[in-house]
Amino acid sequence: MRRRADFLAANRGRRAPMPGFVLLVRERGDGDPVMRIGITVTKKIGGAVIRNRMKRRFRVLARELLPAHGIAGADHVLIGRESGIERDFALLHAELGKALGKIMTRPIDPPRGPPRPRKGKPAKKSDTHAPRMGEKP
């Protein structure tokens, strides 16, 4: 996955938080059985060397586990966490297997609609208040 819209759509799907990462899974529902993978690690985690190391490790994990345990026709996103930097690879492997198992046992969520507008202050303040003392109407 490369487009930001795909990552945002996956964020509305099912999630399985683990100590080293967060797994997001969203079924696309387009009839295509291809499993797609997206990996993201923020700059808060560390420099480029650390982020790239984490992404390489996640790619290897995805290649090993997704063909057997992933959901066909779904987008899978791994979001790196700070505790996953120097985490043992075997432990990450076990956690991803556990996360995929959790995702598979949960019922499929109905598709969510577009986000609702936030309640709060209206967009234009000038339209909502009465003239104050000393202000011209």
Side-chain angles (χ1 to χ4, degrees):
M1 293 175 28
R2 299 213 183 263
R3 293 183 16 210
R4 183 174 191 268
D6 294 334
F7 283 87
L8 292 175
N11 196 35
R12 293 190 305 266
R14 293 180 273 179
R15 63 181 53 234
M18 292 287 148
F21 58 87
V22 176
L23 174 66
L24 307 174
V25 177
R26 178 180 169 267
E27 295 185 28
R28 291 187 309 273
D30 59 1
D32 187 9
V34 174
M35 286 185 265
R36 297 192 311 177
I37 181 75
I39 298 170
T40 180
V41 182
T42 67
K43 288 184 178 181
K44 289 186 221 176
I45 303 299
V49 174
I50 291 171
R51 292 194 317 267
N52 288 333
R53 183 183 310 136
M54 283 187 75
K55 288 191 263 185
R56 281 193 306 268
R57 296 174 90 197
F58 286 156
R59 274 189 223 108
V60 171
L61 287 171
R63 273 190 223 118
E64 289 179 7
L65 291 173
L66 282 185
H69 302 290
I71 300 172
D75 291 338
H76 300 74
V77 176
L78 285 166
I79 302 171
R81 285 185 161 178
E82 193 167 355
S83 60
I85 294 172
E86 295 299 325
R87 201 163 189 81
D88 184 44
F89 187 78
L91 191 56
L92 282 175
H93 190 277
E95 287 175 355
L96 183 56
K98 182 179 175 182
L100 287 167
K102 280 170 113 176
I103 293 288
M104 293 294 285
T105 59
R106 291 184 184 159
I108 297 172
D109 300 331
R112 297 181 191 175
R116 292 184 286 172
R118 290 184 175 177
K119 293 181 180 179
K121 294 183 179 179
K124 291 184 179 179
K125 196 172 183 177
S126 61
D127 294 341
T128 60
H129 78 279
R132 294 186 187 127
M133 199 166 170
E135 281 185 356
K136 291 184 181 181

